[in-house]
């Protein structure tokens, strides 16, 4: 099977993990946590990093830290992972959706302006499959309306919008370090911020809101969202290789594009002039006549693993059962959900394999 993506652990991962085991620092304190937070914050040009257990818990932490009141609204794309919506809901806020751009698949920035109300307290831009959101209009809107930005950069490690690194925008940003991410810690996440207050709140929330002076007196309800030193050790070794990882991802994308560009009706990923796409996953959108499930089935027959694109938030039974998004329609998201899929994009992918996969796509579309 050609996997859709697998972790590439060819650096110091083993050495640093062994160090944790030999030194006994296997829980959520230890030097690798400190180094991981410091180095990732520096890489993203931020003052503070707070490591947590996943990208999902990073989003939850970010929303909690902003103290958005129950009933207030957070604008986010329909085309995203459910973690974005659950972060809002678990904190008592209402997710408000916008459709996505048909080319970059990131949030439709014009619709964001239309959805702002007196209740809007945050915008949650989500960079998709390595391509950044057009952050200029988002930051302008946030400034004009005094709205916070919670950036979800889980899929865009090292990507840039207008030359500025993803994760460096707005009040607080979130990352995932799941096994398929550009930098992985096995599982894990991080929130980044330039605010001392948000940094302190995030540190407290991830650790059950224990108090420094009287540990078991709790003023707030926190969570155990701690990352272990072992996870951070893997993350540190991964950051050491990020420049090379991004070069490799871009080369894989270049090769796919070279093989696929002339197939009629097949949509390929773009890189807008203001963007640096890190091509976390190489996504394609099939012509209307064929659904992604059919193509995935065909490719699986040749041992090629793929993943369908996200199903929109407005089509999720778990969210609709809460009474959300009644009658809402997001045509671009719906089209992507039915016709989009991403192809094997791991670093061990060979040029011959890209050619083989591309030939099979050509065959299924012929
Ligand atoms: C855009 C986005 N945000 C958040 C997450 C959640 O991250 P995690 O799986 O680490 O909880 C993901 C997961 O892939 C994601 O793609």
């Amino acid at each position: 099977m050609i996997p859709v993506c697998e972790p590439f652990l060819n650096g110091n991962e083993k050495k640093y993990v062994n160090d944790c085991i030999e030194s006994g620092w296997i829980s959520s304190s230890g030097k690798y946590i400190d180094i991981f937070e410091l180095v990732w914050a520096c890489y993203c040009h931020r003052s503070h990093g707070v490591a947590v257990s996943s990208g999902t818990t990073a989003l939850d932490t970010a929303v909690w830290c902003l103290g958005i009141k129950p009933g207030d609204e957070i604008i986010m794309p329909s085309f995203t992972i459910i973690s974005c919506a659950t972060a809002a809901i678990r904190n008592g806020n209402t997710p408000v959706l916008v459709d996505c751009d048909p080319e970059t698949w990131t949030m439709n920035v014009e619709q964001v302006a239309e959805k702002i109300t007196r209740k809007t307290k945050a915008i949650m831009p989500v960079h998709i499959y390595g391509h950044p959101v057009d952050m200029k209009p988002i930051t302008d809107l946030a400034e004009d309306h005094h709205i916070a930005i919670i950036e979800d950069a889980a899929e865009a490690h090292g990507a840039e919008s207008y030359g500025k690194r993803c994760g460096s925008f707005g009040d607080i940003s979130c990352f995932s370090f799941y096994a398929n991410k550009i930098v992985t810690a096995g599982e894990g996440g991080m929130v980044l911020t330039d605010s001392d207050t948000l940094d302190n709140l995030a540190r407290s929330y991830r650790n059950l809101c224990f108090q420094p002076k009287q540990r078991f007196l709790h003023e707030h309800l926190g969570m155990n969202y701690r990352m272990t030193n072992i996870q951070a050790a893997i993350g540190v070794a991964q950051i050491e290789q990020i420049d090379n990882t991004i070069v490799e991802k871009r080369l894989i994308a270049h090769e796919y594009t070279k093989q696929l560009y002339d197939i009629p009706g097949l949509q390929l990923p773009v890189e807008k002039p203001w963007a640096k796409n890190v091509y976390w996953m190489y996504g394609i959108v099939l012509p209307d006549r064929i659904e992604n499930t059919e193509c995935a089935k065909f490719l699986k027959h040749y041992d090629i693993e793929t993943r369908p694109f996200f199903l929109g938030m407005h089509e999720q039974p778990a969210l609709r059962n809460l009474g959300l998004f009644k009658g809402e329609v997001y045509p671009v998201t719906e089209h992507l959900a039915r016709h989009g899929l991403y192809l094997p994009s791991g670093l061990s992918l060979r040029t011959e394999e890209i050619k083989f996969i591309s030939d099979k796509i050509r065959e299924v579309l012929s």
Side-chain angles (χ1 to χ4, degrees):
M1 178 71 84
I2 307 176
V4 80
C5 196
E6 71 295 309
F8 204 70
L9 306 170
N10 277 12
N12 285 319
E13 290 84 356
K14 210 180 207 172
K15 182 171 150 202
Y16 296 165
V17 168
N18 279 341
D19 185 26
C20 295
I21 292 166
E22 280 158 17
S23 64
W25 289 95
I26 57 165
S27 195
S28 55
S29 302
K31 70 179 180 193
Y32 291 105
I33 293 278
D34 299 338
I35 297 170
F36 193 34
E37 290 180 341
L38 193 75
V39 175
W40 192 244
C42 272
Y43 179 78
C44 298
H45 311 297
R46 284 289 207 185
S47 308
H48 307 286
V50 182
V52 292
S53 53
S54 69
T56 302
T57 58
L59 286 161
D60 184 20
T61 303
V63 174
W64 185 84
C65 287
L66 289 172
I68 302 171
K69 298 213 167 49
D72 280 341
E73 297 170 355
I74 302 177
I75 299 178
M76 62 184 66
S78 177
F79 189 70
T80 187
I81 193 152
I82 199 160
S83 314
C84 300
T86 53
I89 293 162
R90 292 209 172 99
N91 283 285
N93 310 130
T94 306
V96 171
L97 304 179
V98 295
D99 206 351
C100 54
D101 178 90
E103 272 191 289
T104 63
W105 313 324
T106 60
M107 80 196 303
N108 179 319
V109 291
E110 277 118 49
Q111 287 184 12
V112 174
E114 291 160 17
K115 292 274 175 114
I116 293 175
T117 68
R118 283 206 341 269
K119 286 185 167 183
T120 308
K121 293 296 175 301
I123 305 172
M124 189 183 279
V126 183
H127 311 297
I128 294 288
Y129 303 144
H131 196 289
V133 175
D134 185 351
M135 289 303 292
K136 200 167 177 331
I138 301 282
T139 47
D140 288 350
L141 277 173
E143 237 176 80
D144 291 351
H145 295 267
H146 307 290
I147 300 170
I149 294 177
I150 304 164
E151 199 190 339
D152 183 347
E155 303 186 355
H157 303 182
E160 293 169 13
S161 192
Y162 298 94
K164 200 164 144 42
R165 197 153 274 169
C166 291
S168 69
F169 291 90
D171 303 75
I172 195 159
S173 55
C174 302
F175 287 89
S176 162
F177 301 112
Y178 178 62
N180 63 10
K181 296 300 186 293
I182 285 185
V183 166
T184 183
E187 292 278 2
M190 202 179 294
V191 298
L192 300 183
T193 180
D194 294 323
S195 151
D196 295 351
T197 309
L198 293 177
D199 174 49
N200 286 330
L201 282 169
R203 281 179 197 285
S204 177
Y205 187 65
R206 79 163 170 195
N207 196 24
L208 293 168
C209 291
F210 287 129
Q211 303 221 51
K213 286 200 183 117
Q214 198 176 344
R215 185 171 173 82
F216 295 112
L217 177 77
H218 300 269
E219 304 273 357
H220 302 286
L221 296 178
M223 302 296 260
N224 175 356
Y225 284 167
R226 300 182 298 256
M227 176 187 272
T228 69
N229 200 40
I230 298 175
Q231 289 168 290
I234 298 172
V236 170
Q238 288 270 296
I239 298 175
E240 291 169 355
Q241 303 162 69
I242 188 169
D243 290 345
N244 187 49
T245 305
I246 291 171
V247 168
E248 293 284 331
K249 286 279 189 190
R250 288 178 61 85
L251 284 172
I252 288 169
H254 183 75
E255 192 57 37
Y256 268 126
T257 301
K258 206 169 95 187
Q259 298 286 341
L260 297 170
Y261 80 97
D262 61 343
I263 300 182
L266 181 68
Q267 189 190 343
L268 305 180
V270 295
E271 184 176 48
K272 287 288 183 181
W274 43 265
K276 178 177 181 185
N277 189 345
V278 288
Y279 300 97
W280 168 60
M281 292 290 173
Y282 192 89
I284 58 172
V285 183
L286 303 164
D288 287 353
R289 65 177 189 279
I290 176 163
E291 299 236 332
N292 49 11
T293 43
E294 195 186 326
C295 180
K297 207 166 139 198
F298 178 86
L299 294 174
K300 191 160 179 246
H301 183 72
Y302 292 96
D303 277 344
I304 300 165
E305 194 184 27
T306 59
R307 287 274 184 286
F309 276 13
F310 295 122
L311 179 66
M313 292 305 100
H314 64 299
E315 297 198 274
Q316 299 291 348
L319 300 177
R320 292 181 73 100
N321 288 344
L322 299 175
L324 291 164
F325 319 132
K326 266 203 192 97
E328 293 182 29
V329 176
Y330 299 99
V332 183
T333 300
E334 286 164 29
H335 180 76
L336 295 180
R338 281 149 190 81
H339 299 282
L341 80 167
Y342 52 85
L343 304 177
S345 304
L347 294 198
S348 44
L349 197 64
R350 287 172 290 122
T351 308
E352 310 86 80
E353 289 173 320
I354 296 177
K355 170 118 186 29
F356 175 69
I357 296 163
S358 304
D359 286 347
K360 292 295 155 204
I361 291 169
R362 194 178 291 275
E363 196 177 314
V364 73
L365 293 180
S366 63

